[in-house]
Amino acid sequence: MSEILIRAREPTDMADLTELLNQPKAIWGTLQMPFVSLGARQRRAAAGSAADLHLMAVIDGKVIGSASLNRFENRRAHAGSIGMAVHDAYAGRGAGSALMAAIIGQADNWLNLTRLELNVWSDNGRAIALYERFGFEREGLFRNYAWRDGAYADSIAMARLRG
């Protein structure tokens, strides 16, 4: 198996990122909408905050995973929110773990964030297990959190606190 490289998102990543986020299982695990065009994804990236961190997992030059850390402001400047997705064809190969380790390393060692938050679908056991391995704990359940694939789905709020 090829080595997973973690690096910052580049403008040239948008086509691979669009493909990744249009995969059925990747969409199912996120709040993203299916069938987002490359142009729409490029506009969204251009409009994002410079304070946000976007990392890519890359194998043999292809983006196969993505994670973001969105930092909060003012009285919540100690906290950030994480989102991530892995290409369907590359699930289970370690990209999620590599991305999570990199995001947490940045949050702890460079940004001094003491609280990291995320939401995960309550039926996404694989993702929940990953987050728990990295020290995230369940904080609550959002019932009927969002409409997904023809039905309302519940979401679990999770957080990791550091010292």
PDB file of all heavy atoms in Angstrom, residues 14-29:
ATOM      1  N   MET A  14      -9.159  20.899  -6.016  1.00  0.00           N
ATOM      2  CA  MET A  14     -10.617  21.008  -6.047  1.00  0.00           C
ATOM      3  C   MET A  14     -11.295  19.908  -6.872  1.00  0.00           C
ATOM      4  O   MET A  14     -12.363  19.435  -6.496  1.00  0.00           O
ATOM      5  CB  MET A  14     -11.045  22.386  -6.552  1.00  0.00           C
ATOM      6  CG  MET A  14     -10.800  23.511  -5.554  1.00  0.00           C
ATOM      7  SD  MET A  14     -11.689  23.283  -4.009  1.00  0.00           S
ATOM      8  CE  MET A  14     -10.355  22.973  -2.901  1.00  0.00           C
ATOM      9  N   ALA A  15     -10.699  19.474  -7.963  1.00  0.00           N
ATOM     10  CA  ALA A  15     -11.331  18.409  -8.765  1.00  0.00           C
ATOM     11  C   ALA A  15     -11.360  17.101  -7.984  1.00  0.00           C
ATOM     12  O   ALA A  15     -12.402  16.429  -7.919  1.00  0.00           O
ATOM     13  CB  ALA A  15     -10.607  18.229 -10.098  1.00  0.00           C
ATOM     14  N   ASP A  16     -10.229  16.717  -7.360  1.00  0.00           N
ATOM     15  CA  ASP A  16     -10.203  15.500  -6.548  1.00  0.00           C
ATOM     16  C   ASP A  16     -11.130  15.624  -5.343  1.00  0.00           C
ATOM     17  O   ASP A  16     -11.818  14.662  -4.974  1.00  0.00           O
ATOM     18  CB  ASP A  16      -8.784  15.202  -6.062  1.00  0.00           C
ATOM     19  CG  ASP A  16      -7.898  14.536  -7.095  1.00  0.00           C
ATOM     20  OD1 ASP A  16      -8.397  14.177  -8.185  1.00  0.00           O
ATOM     21  OD2 ASP A  16      -6.697  14.360  -6.815  1.00  0.00           O
ATOM     22  N   LEU A  17     -11.160  16.791  -4.707  1.00  0.00           N
ATOM     23  CA  LEU A  17     -12.032  17.000  -3.549  1.00  0.00           C
ATOM     24  C   LEU A  17     -13.500  16.897  -3.946  1.00  0.00           C
ATOM     25  O   LEU A  17     -14.315  16.302  -3.227  1.00  0.00           O
ATOM     26  CB  LEU A  17     -11.742  18.353  -2.893  1.00  0.00           C
ATOM     27  CG  LEU A  17     -12.522  18.666  -1.631  1.00  0.00           C
ATOM     28  CD1 LEU A  17     -12.263  17.629  -0.550  1.00  0.00           C
ATOM     29  CD2 LEU A  17     -12.175  20.066  -1.138  1.00  0.00           C
ATOM     30  N   THR A  18     -13.845  17.439  -5.098  1.00  0.00           N
ATOM     31  CA  THR A  18     -15.223  17.343  -5.591  1.00  0.00           C
ATOM     32  C   THR A  18     -15.593  15.886  -5.836  1.00  0.00           C
ATOM     33  O   THR A  18     -16.679  15.437  -5.447  1.00  0.00           O
ATOM     34  CB  THR A  18     -15.394  18.186  -6.872  1.00  0.00           C
ATOM     35  OG1 THR A  18     -15.115  19.551  -6.544  1.00  0.00           O
ATOM     36  CG2 THR A  18     -16.793  18.071  -7.440  1.00  0.00           C
ATOM     37  N   GLU A  19     -14.696  15.127  -6.456  1.00  0.00           N
ATOM     38  CA  GLU A  19     -14.954  13.696  -6.662  1.00  0.00           C
ATOM     39  C   GLU A  19     -15.143  12.988  -5.326  1.00  0.00           C
ATOM     40  O   GLU A  19     -16.087  12.211  -5.141  1.00  0.00           O
ATOM     41  CB  GLU A  19     -13.795  13.056  -7.424  1.00  0.00           C
ATOM     42  CG  GLU A  19     -13.952  11.549  -7.591  1.00  0.00           C
ATOM     43  CD  GLU A  19     -12.724  10.869  -8.156  1.00  0.00           C
ATOM     44  OE1 GLU A  19     -11.927  11.529  -8.851  1.00  0.00           O
ATOM     45  OE2 GLU A  19     -12.571   9.667  -7.885  1.00  0.00           O
ATOM     46  N   LEU A  20     -14.240  13.253  -4.371  1.00  0.00           N
ATOM     47  CA  LEU A  20     -14.306  12.630  -3.044  1.00  0.00           C
ATOM     48  C   LEU A  20     -15.659  12.905  -2.387  1.00  0.00           C
ATOM     49  O   LEU A  20     -16.327  11.992  -1.894  1.00  0.00           O
ATOM     50  CB  LEU A  20     -13.172  13.186  -2.184  1.00  0.00           C
ATOM     51  CG  LEU A  20     -12.953  12.687  -0.769  1.00  0.00           C
ATOM     52  CD1 LEU A  20     -11.563  13.092  -0.308  1.00  0.00           C
ATOM     53  CD2 LEU A  20     -13.971  13.180   0.218  1.00  0.00           C
ATOM     54  N   LEU A  21     -16.061  14.174  -2.369  1.00  0.00           N
ATOM     55  CA  LEU A  21     -17.280  14.565  -1.658  1.00  0.00           C
ATOM     56  C   LEU A  21     -18.555  14.239  -2.435  1.00  0.00           C
ATOM     57  O   LEU A  21     -19.653  14.448  -1.919  1.00  0.00           O
ATOM     58  CB  LEU A  21     -17.222  16.045  -1.289  1.00  0.00           C
ATOM     59  CG  LEU A  21     -16.178  16.374  -0.216  1.00  0.00           C
ATOM     60  CD1 LEU A  21     -16.055  17.875  -0.031  1.00  0.00           C
ATOM     61  CD2 LEU A  21     -16.500  15.685   1.099  1.00  0.00           C
ATOM     62  N   ASN A  22     -18.424  13.738  -3.647  1.00  0.00           N
ATOM     63  CA  ASN A  22     -19.594  13.271  -4.386  1.00  0.00           C
ATOM     64  C   ASN A  22     -19.747  11.745  -4.314  1.00  0.00           C
ATOM     65  O   ASN A  22     -20.635  11.190  -4.951  1.00  0.00           O
ATOM     66  CB  ASN A  22     -19.539  13.740  -5.837  1.00  0.00           C
ATOM     67  CG  ASN A  22     -19.972  15.189  -5.980  1.00  0.00           C
ATOM     68  OD1 ASN A  22     -20.794  15.680  -5.219  1.00  0.00           O
ATOM     69  ND2 ASN A  22     -19.403  15.888  -6.941  1.00  0.00           N
ATOM     70  N   GLN A  23     -18.903  11.067  -3.553  1.00  0.00           N
ATOM     71  CA  GLN A  23     -19.012   9.626  -3.368  1.00  0.00           C
ATOM     72  C   GLN A  23     -20.200   9.309  -2.456  1.00  0.00           C
ATOM     73  O   GLN A  23     -20.435  10.015  -1.471  1.00  0.00           O
ATOM     74  CB  GLN A  23     -17.732   9.067  -2.732  1.00  0.00           C
ATOM     75  CG  GLN A  23     -16.496   9.231  -3.574  1.00  0.00           C
ATOM     76  CD  GLN A  23     -16.585   8.405  -4.836  1.00  0.00           C
ATOM     77  OE1 GLN A  23     -16.781   7.197  -4.791  1.00  0.00           O
ATOM     78  NE2 GLN A  23     -16.445   9.074  -5.960  1.00  0.00           N
ATOM     79  N   PRO A  24     -20.938   8.244  -2.723  1.00  0.00           N
ATOM     80  CA  PRO A  24     -22.140   7.936  -1.923  1.00  0.00           C
ATOM     81  C   PRO A  24     -21.880   7.777  -0.429  1.00  0.00           C
ATOM     82  O   PRO A  24     -22.613   8.341   0.390  1.00  0.00           O
ATOM     83  CB  PRO A  24     -22.643   6.628  -2.530  1.00  0.00           C
ATOM     84  CG  PRO A  24     -22.079   6.589  -3.907  1.00  0.00           C
ATOM     85  CD  PRO A  24     -20.777   7.322  -3.844  1.00  0.00           C
ATOM     86  N   LYS A  25     -20.860   7.032  -0.040  1.00  0.00           N
ATOM     87  CA  LYS A  25     -20.594   6.832   1.386  1.00  0.00           C
ATOM     88  C   LYS A  25     -20.019   8.091   2.026  1.00  0.00           C
ATOM     89  O   LYS A  25     -20.312   8.386   3.183  1.00  0.00           O
ATOM     90  CB  LYS A  25     -19.656   5.643   1.598  1.00  0.00           C
ATOM     91  CG  LYS A  25     -20.315   4.317   1.306  1.00  0.00           C
ATOM     92  CD  LYS A  25     -19.343   3.168   1.497  1.00  0.00           C
ATOM     93  CE  LYS A  25     -19.994   1.858   1.074  1.00  0.00           C
ATOM     94  NZ  LYS A  25     -19.020   0.763   1.078  1.00  0.00           N
ATOM     95  N   ALA A  26     -19.196   8.828   1.291  1.00  0.00           N
ATOM     96  CA  ALA A  26     -18.646  10.079   1.828  1.00  0.00           C
ATOM     97  C   ALA A  26     -19.779  11.072   2.086  1.00  0.00           C
ATOM     98  O   ALA A  26     -19.825  11.710   3.140  1.00  0.00           O
ATOM     99  CB  ALA A  26     -17.611  10.660   0.878  1.00  0.00           C
ATOM    100  N   ILE A  27     -20.698  11.193   1.143  1.00  0.00           N
ATOM    101  CA  ILE A  27     -21.848  12.091   1.321  1.00  0.00           C
ATOM    102  C   ILE A  27     -22.689  11.641   2.507  1.00  0.00           C
ATOM    103  O   ILE A  27     -23.126  12.439   3.326  1.00  0.00           O
ATOM    104  CB  ILE A  27     -22.708  12.142   0.028  1.00  0.00           C
ATOM    105  CG1 ILE A  27     -22.001  12.981  -1.026  1.00  0.00           C
ATOM    106  CG2 ILE A  27     -24.113  12.665   0.279  1.00  0.00           C
ATOM    107  CD1 ILE A  27     -21.868  14.437  -0.677  1.00  0.00           C
ATOM    108  N   TRP A  28     -22.937  10.346   2.602  1.00  0.00           N
ATOM    109  CA  TRP A  28     -23.758   9.795   3.681  1.00  0.00           C
ATOM    110  C   TRP A  28     -23.198  10.172   5.044  1.00  0.00           C
ATOM    111  O   TRP A  28     -23.942  10.432   5.977  1.00  0.00           O
ATOM    112  CB  TRP A  28     -23.827   8.265   3.523  1.00  0.00           C
ATOM    113  CG  TRP A  28     -24.596   7.580   4.607  1.00  0.00           C
ATOM    114  CD1 TRP A  28     -25.928   7.332   4.630  1.00  0.00           C
ATOM    115  CD2 TRP A  28     -24.074   7.050   5.827  1.00  0.00           C
ATOM    116  NE1 TRP A  28     -26.274   6.685   5.789  1.00  0.00           N
ATOM    117  CE2 TRP A  28     -25.140   6.494   6.544  1.00  0.00           C
ATOM    118  CE3 TRP A  28     -22.794   6.984   6.384  1.00  0.00           C
ATOM    119  CZ2 TRP A  28     -24.983   5.886   7.789  1.00  0.00           C
ATOM    120  CZ3 TRP A  28     -22.643   6.384   7.633  1.00  0.00           C
ATOM    121  CH2 TRP A  28     -23.726   5.840   8.307  1.00  0.00           C
ATOM    122  N   GLY A  29     -21.875  10.240   5.172  1.00  0.00           N
ATOM    123  CA  GLY A  29     -21.248  10.520   6.453  1.00  0.00           C
ATOM    124  C   GLY A  29     -21.070  11.986   6.779  1.00  0.00           C
ATOM    125  O   GLY A  29     -20.558  12.323   7.843  1.00  0.00           O
TER     126      GLY A  29
END
